[in-house]
Amino acid sequence: MVHYLLSENDPKATGLTAPYIKLYTAATPNGFKVTILLELLKLDYYVRQIDIMSGECKQDWYLKFNPNGRIPSLTYVDEKGEVTHVNESAAILQFLADKFDKDYKFSFPHGSKEYYEMLEWIYFQMAGLGPMKGQYHWFKYFAPQKDDFAIERYYKETLRLFGVLEERLERNKTGYLVGNHLSLADIVSYPWIDGFKKMPELENYPRLSQWVENIRKIPEVQEAMKVPEPKH
């Protein structure tokens, strides 16, 4: 269950008692990855919404524990009060899975074949799908000047990566990217395809489209995609 924090105060002043999870995030695909896993794991967590448009993630207090100045970032305080900061969305997912997914409902045992396949598809998203689709939408929707070459380049590369996912789903034949259940491999890519300026070309990839539809129907995913709630 999510709880919201409005400002950066001492944990005692905001009523937080160890152990607790605090997520610094915004309504972006990288943020949604983490809220999806938190909701699936049915964990209580606190959200500190970060205004990335105003550059809040570049402020000194944030850079002290996230020198890259990006979201999401997670702080975990254990029963003894020991603080662990984890940055980068994939690292946060792996941290949460290692600590809270002891039954491997959304991951796989370390050292198993599926574990390394899961890592492969996590890195595929981090190094390929996210950056390429992100650049496509930057140049198409947000860049201060139009660059047709860049738009076309990243558009084609995004569709090529859609094709890679389509082929993987065909080969695995379970409806998931790895193994026979939803895992971090699926969670990292889903928000980039269904939660960030959906591309109508997705309908040209039937297996990927069905994969999106199946994940979208999961109640915990639906709740996670609302976190953080829009500021008014």
Side-chain angles (χ1 to χ4, degrees), residues 2-14:
V2 62
H3 310 276
Y4 285 95
L5 300 174
L6 300 179
S7 61
E8 194 57 28
N9 296 312
D10 183 88
K12 294 179 181 178
T14 59

Side-chain angles (χ1 to χ4, degrees), residues 133-147:
K133 193 164 187 278
Q135 289 296 321
Y136 167 60
H137 284 109
W138 163 253
F139 282 106
K140 184 172 178 63
Y141 299 108
F142 305 116
Q145 62 185 36
K146 188 175 179 60
D147 187 328

